[in-house]
Coordinates of all heavy atoms in Angstrom, one line a residue:
K1358 N -0.4 13.0 -17.6 CA -1.5 12.1 -18.2 C -1.9 11.0 -17.2 O -3.0 10.5 -17.4 CB -1.0 11.5 -19.5 CG -0.6 12.5 -20.6 CD 0.0 11.8 -21.8 CE 0.6 12.8 -22.8 NZ 1.3 12.1 -23.9
I1359 N -1.1 10.7 -16.3 CA -1.4 9.7 -15.3 C -2.1 10.2 -14.1 O -1.7 11.2 -13.5 CB -0.1 9.0 -14.9 CG1 0.7 8.4 -16.1 CG2 -0.4 7.8 -13.9 CD1 2.0 7.8 -15.8
K1360 N -3.2 9.5 -13.7 CA -4.0 9.9 -12.6 C -4.0 8.8 -11.6 O -3.9 7.6 -11.9 CB -5.4 10.2 -13.0 CG -5.5 11.2 -14.2 CD -5.0 12.6 -13.8 CE -5.1 13.5 -15.0 NZ -4.4 14.8 -14.7
V1361 N -4.2 9.2 -10.3 CA -4.4 8.2 -9.2 C -5.7 7.4 -9.6 O -6.7 8.0 -9.9 CB -4.6 8.9 -7.9 CG1 -5.0 7.8 -6.8 CG2 -3.3 9.5 -7.5
G1362 N -5.6 6.1 -9.5 CA -6.7 5.2 -9.9 C -6.6 4.6 -11.3 O -7.3 3.6 -11.6
S1363 N -5.6 5.1 -12.1 CA -5.4 4.5 -13.4 C -5.0 3.1 -13.3 O -4.2 2.7 -12.4 CB -4.4 5.3 -14.2 OG -4.8 6.6 -14.4
S1364 N -5.5 2.2 -14.2 CA -5.1 0.8 -14.2 C -3.8 0.6 -14.9 O -3.4 1.4 -15.7 CB -6.2 -0.1 -14.8 OG -6.3 0.3 -16.2
A1365 N -3.1 -0.5 -14.6 CA -1.8 -0.8 -15.2 C -1.7 -2.3 -15.4 O -2.2 -3.1 -14.6 CB -0.7 -0.2 -14.4
K1366 N -1.0 -2.7 -16.4 CA -0.6 -4.1 -16.7 C 0.9 -4.2 -16.3 O 1.7 -3.5 -16.8 CB -0.9 -4.5 -18.1 CG -2.4 -4.4 -18.5 CD -3.2 -5.4 -17.7 CE -4.7 -5.4 -18.2 NZ -5.5 -6.3 -17.4
I1367 N 1.1 -5.2 -15.5 CA 2.5 -5.4 -15.0 C 3.1 -6.7 -15.5 O 2.5 -7.7 -15.4 CB 2.5 -5.4 -13.4 CG1 1.7 -4.3 -12.9 CG2 4.0 -5.4 -12.9 CD1 2.2 -2.9 -13.2
K1368 N 4.3 -6.6 -16.1 CA 5.1 -7.8 -16.5 C 6.4 -7.8 -15.7 O 7.1 -6.8 -15.6 CB 5.4 -7.7 -18.0 CG 4.1 -7.9 -18.8 CD 4.5 -8.0 -20.3 CE 3.2 -8.3 -21.1 NZ 3.5 -8.4 -22.6
I1369 N 6.6 -9.0 -15.0 CA 7.8 -9.2 -14.2 C 8.8 -9.9 -15.1 O 8.5 -11.0 -15.6 CB 7.5 -10.0 -12.9 CG1 6.3 -9.3 -12.2 CG2 8.7 -10.1 -12.1 CD1 6.5 -8.0 -11.7
N1370 N 10.0 -9.3 -15.2 CA 11.0 -10.0 -16.1 C 11.3 -11.4 -15.7 O 11.6 -12.3 -16.5 CB 12.3 -9.1 -16.0 CG 12.2 -7.8 -16.7 OD1 11.1 -7.3 -17.0 ND2 13.3 -7.2 -17.1
A1371 N 11.3 -11.7 -14.4 CA 11.7 -13.0 -13.9 C 10.6 -14.0 -13.9 O 10.8 -15.2 -13.7 CB 12.2 -12.9 -12.5
I1372 N 9.3 -13.6 -14.2 CA 8.2 -14.5 -14.3 C 7.6 -14.5 -15.7 O 7.0 -13.5 -16.1 CB 7.1 -14.0 -13.3 CG1 7.7 -13.9 -11.9 CG2 5.9 -15.0 -13.3 CD1 6.7 -13.4 -10.8
I1373 N 7.9 -15.5 -16.4 CA 7.6 -15.6 -17.8 C 6.1 -15.9 -18.0 O 5.5 -16.6 -17.3 CB 8.4 -16.7 -18.5 CG1 9.9 -16.5 -18.2 CG2 8.2 -16.7 -20.0 CD1 10.5 -15.2 -18.7
N1374 N 5.6 -15.3 -19.1 CA 4.2 -15.5 -19.6 C 3.1 -15.3 -18.5 O 2.1 -15.9 -18.5 CB 4.0 -17.0 -20.1 CG 5.0 -17.2 -21.3 OD1 5.2 -16.4 -22.1 ND2 5.5 -18.4 -21.3
T1375 N 3.4 -14.3 -17.6 CA 2.4 -14.0 -16.6 C 2.2 -12.4 -16.6 O 3.2 -11.7 -16.5 CB 2.8 -14.5 -15.2 OG1 2.9 -15.9 -15.3 CG2 1.7 -14.2 -14.2
E1376 N 1.0 -12.0 -16.6 CA 0.7 -10.5 -16.5 C -0.1 -10.3 -15.3 O -1.1 -10.9 -15.0 CB 0.0 -10.1 -17.8 CG -0.2 -8.6 -17.9 CD -0.8 -8.1 -19.2 OE1 -2.0 -8.4 -19.4 OE2 -0.1 -7.5 -20.0
Y1377 N 0.3 -9.2 -14.5 CA -0.4 -8.8 -13.3 C -1.1 -7.5 -13.6 O -0.7 -6.7 -14.4 CB 0.5 -8.7 -12.2 CG 1.2 -10.0 -11.8 CD1 2.3 -10.5 -12.4 CD2 0.6 -10.8 -10.8 CE1 2.9 -11.7 -12.0 CE2 1.2 -12.0 -10.4 CZ 2.4 -12.5 -11.1 OH 3.0 -13.6 -10.7
T1378 N -2.2 -7.3 -12.8 CA -2.9 -6.0 -12.9 C -2.5 -5.1 -11.7 O -2.2 -5.7 -10.6 CB -4.4 -6.2 -12.9 OG1 -4.8 -6.9 -11.7 CG2 -4.8 -7.0 -14.1
G1379 N -2.5 -3.8 -11.9 CA -2.2 -2.9 -10.8 C -3.0 -1.7 -10.9 O -3.7 -1.5 -11.9
R1380 N -2.8 -0.8 -9.9 CA -3.6 0.5 -9.9 C -2.6 1.6 -9.3 O -1.9 1.4 -8.4 CB -4.8 0.3 -8.9 CG -5.7 1.6 -8.9 CD -6.9 1.3 -8.0 NE -6.5 1.0 -6.6 CZ -6.3 2.0 -5.7 NH1 -6.4 3.2 -6.0 NH2 -5.9 1.6 -4.5
V1381 N -2.7 2.7 -10.0 CA -1.8 3.8 -9.6 C -2.4 4.4 -8.3 O -3.6 4.7 -8.2 CB -1.8 4.9 -10.6 CG1 -1.0 6.1 -10.1 CG2 -1.2 4.4 -11.9
I1382 N -1.5 4.5 -7.2 CA -2.0 5.0 -5.9 C -1.2 6.3 -5.6 O -1.6 7.0 -4.6 CB -1.7 4.0 -4.8 CG1 -0.3 3.6 -4.7 CG2 -2.6 2.7 -5.0 CD1 0.0 2.7 -3.5
F1383 N -0.2 6.7 -6.4 CA 0.5 7.9 -6.1 C 1.2 8.4 -7.3 O 1.8 7.7 -8.1 CB 1.5 7.7 -5.0 CG 2.4 8.9 -4.7 CD1 1.9 9.9 -4.0 CD2 3.7 8.9 -5.2 CE1 2.8 11.0 -3.7 CE2 4.5 10.0 -4.9 CZ 4.0 11.1 -4.2
V1384 N 1.0 9.7 -7.6 CA 1.7 10.4 -8.6 C 2.4 11.6 -8.0 O 1.8 12.5 -7.4 CB 0.7 10.9 -9.7 CG1 1.5 11.6 -10.8 CG2 0.0 9.7 -10.3
S1385 N 3.7 11.6 -8.1 CA 4.5 12.7 -7.4 C 4.3 14.0 -8.0 O 4.2 14.2 -9.3 CB 6.0 12.3 -7.6 OG 6.8 13.4 -7.0
P1386 N 4.1 15.0 -7.2 CA 4.0 16.4 -7.7 C 5.4 17.0 -8.0 O 5.4 18.2 -8.4 CB 3.4 17.1 -6.5 CG 3.9 16.4 -5.3 CD 4.0 15.0 -5.7
Y1387 N 6.4 16.3 -7.8 CA 7.8 16.8 -8.0 C 8.5 16.1 -9.1 O 8.4 14.9 -9.3 CB 8.6 16.5 -6.7 CG 10.1 16.8 -6.8 CD1 10.6 18.1 -6.7 CD2 11.0 15.7 -6.9 CE1 11.9 18.3 -6.8 CE2 12.3 16.0 -7.0 CZ 12.8 17.3 -6.9 OH 14.2 17.5 -7.0
I1388 N 9.2 16.9 -9.9 CA 10.0 16.4 -11.0 C 11.5 16.5 -10.7 O 11.9 17.6 -10.3 CB 9.7 17.1 -12.4 CG1 8.2 17.0 -12.8 CG2 10.6 16.7 -13.5 CD1 7.8 15.5 -13.1
D1389 N 12.2 15.4 -10.8 CA 13.7 15.5 -10.6 C 14.3 16.3 -11.6 O 14.2 16.0 -12.8 CB 14.2 14.1 -10.6 CG 15.7 14.0 -10.1 OD1 16.5 14.8 -10.6 OD2 16.0 13.2 -9.3
P1390 N 15.0 17.4 -11.2 CA 15.6 18.3 -12.2 C 16.7 17.7 -13.0 O 17.1 18.1 -14.1 CB 16.2 19.5 -11.4 CG 16.3 18.9 -10.0 CD 15.3 17.9 -9.8
E1391 N 17.3 16.6 -12.5 CA 18.4 16.0 -13.2 C 17.9 14.9 -14.2 O 18.4 14.9 -15.4 CB 19.4 15.3 -12.2 CG 20.1 16.3 -11.4 CD 21.2 15.6 -10.5 OE1 21.4 14.4 -10.6 OE2 21.8 16.3 -9.6
T1392 N 17.0 14.1 -13.8 CA 16.5 13.0 -14.7 C 15.3 13.4 -15.5 O 14.9 12.8 -16.4 CB 16.1 11.8 -13.9 OG1 15.0 12.1 -13.0 CG2 17.3 11.3 -13.1
K1393 N 14.6 14.6 -15.1 CA 13.4 15.1 -15.7 C 12.3 14.0 -15.7 O 11.5 13.8 -16.6 CB 13.7 15.4 -17.2 CG 14.7 16.5 -17.4 CD 14.3 17.8 -16.7 CE 15.3 18.9 -16.9 NZ 14.9 20.2 -16.2
T1394 N 12.2 13.3 -14.6 CA 11.2 12.3 -14.4 C 10.5 12.5 -13.0 O 11.1 13.1 -12.1 CB 11.8 10.9 -14.4 OG1 12.7 10.7 -13.4 CG2 12.4 10.6 -15.8
G1395 N 9.3 12.0 -12.9 CA 8.6 12.0 -11.7 C 8.2 10.6 -11.2 O 8.1 9.7 -12.1
K1396 N 8.1 10.4 -9.9 CA 7.8 9.1 -9.4 C 6.3 8.7 -9.5 O 5.4 9.6 -9.1 CB 8.3 9.0 -7.9 CG 8.1 7.6 -7.3 CD 8.4 7.6 -5.8 CE 9.9 7.9 -5.6 NZ 10.3 7.8 -4.2
V1397 N 6.0 7.5 -9.9 CA 4.6 7.0 -9.9 C 4.7 5.7 -9.2 O 5.5 4.8 -9.4 CB 4.1 6.8 -11.3 CG1 2.7 6.1 -11.3 CG2 4.0 8.2 -12.0
V1398 N 3.7 5.5 -8.2 CA 3.7 4.2 -7.5 C 2.4 3.4 -7.8 O 1.3 4.0 -7.9 CB 3.6 4.5 -5.9 CG1 3.6 3.2 -5.2 CG2 4.8 5.4 -5.5
I1399 N 2.6 2.2 -8.2 CA 1.5 1.3 -8.6 C 1.4 0.1 -7.6 O 2.4 -0.5 -7.2 CB 1.8 0.7 -10.0 CG1 2.0 1.8 -11.0 CG2 0.7 -0.2 -10.4 CD1 2.6 1.4 -12.3
Q1400 N 0.2 -0.1 -7.1 CA -0.1 -1.2 -6.2 C -0.5 -2.4 -6.9 O -1.3 -2.4 -7.9 CB -1.2 -0.8 -5.2 CG -1.3 -1.8 -4.0 CD -2.3 -1.3 -3.0 OE1 -3.4 -1.0 -3.2 NE2 -1.8 -1.2 -1.7
I1401 N 0.1 -3.6 -6.5 CA -0.1 -4.9 -7.2 C -0.6 -5.9 -6.2 O 0.0 -6.0 -5.1 CB 1.2 -5.4 -7.8 CG1 1.9 -4.3 -8.6 CG2 1.0 -6.6 -8.7 CD1 3.3 -4.7 -9.0
K1402 N -1.6 -6.6 -6.6 CA -2.1 -7.7 -5.8 C -1.3 -9.0 -6.1 O -1.3 -9.5 -7.3 CB -3.6 -8.0 -6.0 CG -4.5 -6.9 -5.5 CD -4.5 -6.8 -4.0 CE -5.5 -5.8 -3.5 NZ -5.5 -5.6 -2.1
N1403 N -0.5 -9.5 -5.2 CA 0.4 -10.6 -5.4 C -0.3 -11.9 -4.9 O 0.2 -12.6 -4.0 CB 1.7 -10.4 -4.7 CG 2.8 -11.4 -5.1 OD1 2.7 -12.0 -6.1 ND2 3.7 -11.6 -4.2
K1404 N -1.4 -12.3 -5.6 CA -2.2 -13.4 -5.1 C -1.5 -14.8 -5.1 O -1.7 -15.6 -4.3 CB -3.5 -13.5 -5.9 CG -4.4 -12.3 -5.7 CD -5.7 -12.4 -6.5 CE -6.6 -11.2 -6.3 NZ -7.9 -11.3 -7.0
D1405 N -0.7 -15.0 -6.2 CA 0.0 -16.2 -6.3 C 1.4 -16.2 -5.5 O 2.1 -17.2 -5.5 CB 0.3 -16.6 -7.7 CG 1.1 -15.6 -8.5 OD1 1.6 -14.6 -7.9 OD2 1.2 -15.7 -9.7
K1406 N 1.7 -15.1 -4.9 CA 2.9 -14.9 -4.1 C 4.2 -15.3 -4.8 O 5.2 -15.6 -4.3 CB 2.8 -15.8 -2.8 CG 1.7 -15.4 -1.9 CD 1.6 -16.2 -0.7 CE 1.1 -17.6 -0.9 NZ 0.8 -18.3 0.3
R1407 N 4.2 -15.1 -6.2 CA 5.4 -15.4 -7.0 C 6.3 -14.1 -7.1 O 7.5 -14.3 -7.3 CB 5.0 -15.8 -8.4 CG 4.3 -17.2 -8.4 CD 3.8 -17.6 -9.8 NE 5.0 -17.8 -10.7 CZ 4.9 -17.9 -12.0 NH1 3.7 -17.8 -12.6 NH2 6.0 -18.2 -12.7
I1408 N 5.7 -13.0 -7.0 CA 6.5 -11.7 -7.1 C 7.2 -11.5 -5.8 O 6.6 -11.6 -4.7 CB 5.6 -10.5 -7.4 CG1 4.7 -10.8 -8.6 CG2 6.5 -9.3 -7.7 CD1 3.7 -9.7 -8.9
K1409 N 8.5 -11.2 -5.9 CA 9.3 -11.0 -4.7 C 9.8 -9.5 -4.7 O 10.1 -8.9 -5.7 CB 10.6 -11.9 -4.7 CG 10.2 -13.4 -4.8 CD 9.5 -13.9 -3.6 CE 9.3 -15.4 -3.6 NZ 8.4 -15.9 -4.7
P1410 N 9.8 -8.9 -3.5 CA 10.4 -7.5 -3.4 C 11.8 -7.5 -4.0 O 12.6 -8.4 -3.8 CB 10.4 -7.3 -1.9 CG 9.3 -8.1 -1.4 CD 9.4 -9.4 -2.2
G1411 N 12.1 -6.5 -4.8 CA 13.4 -6.3 -5.4 C 13.4 -6.7 -6.9 O 14.4 -6.5 -7.6
M1412 N 12.3 -7.4 -7.4 CA 12.2 -7.8 -8.8 C 12.0 -6.6 -9.7 O 11.4 -5.6 -9.3 CB 11.1 -8.8 -9.0 CG 11.4 -10.2 -8.5 SD 10.1 -11.4 -8.9 CE 10.9 -12.9 -8.5
Y1413 N 12.6 -6.7 -10.9 CA 12.5 -5.7 -11.9 C 11.2 -5.9 -12.7 O 10.9 -7.1 -13.1 CB 13.7 -5.7 -12.8 CG 13.8 -4.6 -13.8 CD1 14.3 -3.3 -13.4 CD2 13.5 -4.7 -15.1 CE1 14.4 -2.3 -14.2 CE2 13.6 -3.7 -16.0 CZ 14.1 -2.4 -15.6 OH 14.2 -1.4 -16.4
A1414 N 10.5 -4.8 -13.0 CA 9.2 -5.0 -13.7 C 8.9 -3.9 -14.7 O 9.5 -2.8 -14.6 CB 8.1 -5.0 -12.7
N1415 N 8.0 -4.1 -15.6 CA 7.6 -3.1 -16.6 C 6.1 -2.9 -16.4 O 5.3 -3.8 -16.2 CB 7.8 -3.6 -18.0 CG 7.2 -2.6 -19.0 OD1 6.1 -2.9 -19.5 ND2 7.8 -1.5 -19.4
A1416 N 5.7 -1.6 -16.4 CA 4.3 -1.2 -16.2 C 3.8 -0.6 -17.4 O 4.4 0.3 -18.0 CB 4.1 -0.3 -15.0
S1417 N 2.6 -1.0 -17.9 CA 1.9 -0.3 -19.0 C 0.7 0.3 -18.4 O -0.3 -0.3 -18.1 CB 1.5 -1.3 -20.1 OG 1.0 -0.7 -21.2

Side-chain angles (χ1 to χ4, degrees):
K1358 302 173 186 176
I1359 301 173
K1360 308 297 179 186
V1361 171
S1363 296
S1364 63
K1366 298 295 183 183
I1367 313 296
K1368 289 185 178 179
I1369 309 296
N1370 288 21
I1372 304 175
I1373 309 299
N1374 299 325
T1375 303
E1376 188 175 70
Y1377 295 87
T1378 58
R1380 182 178 63 86
V1381 175
I1382 59 172
F1383 175 76
V1384 179
S1385 175
Y1387 170 76
I1388 299 297
D1389 189 310
E1391 294 185 5
T1392 63
K1393 300 298 181 183
T1394 62
K1396 182 186 294 183
V1397 173
V1398 182
I1399 303 166
Q1400 190 170 57
I1401 312 169
K1402 294 291 185 182
N1403 189 22
K1404 294 181 179 179
D1405 59 6
K1406 297 181 287 191
R1407 294 177 67 192
I1408 309 175
K1409 304 293 188 294
M1412 284 184 168
Y1413 190 77
N1415 171 264
S1417 184

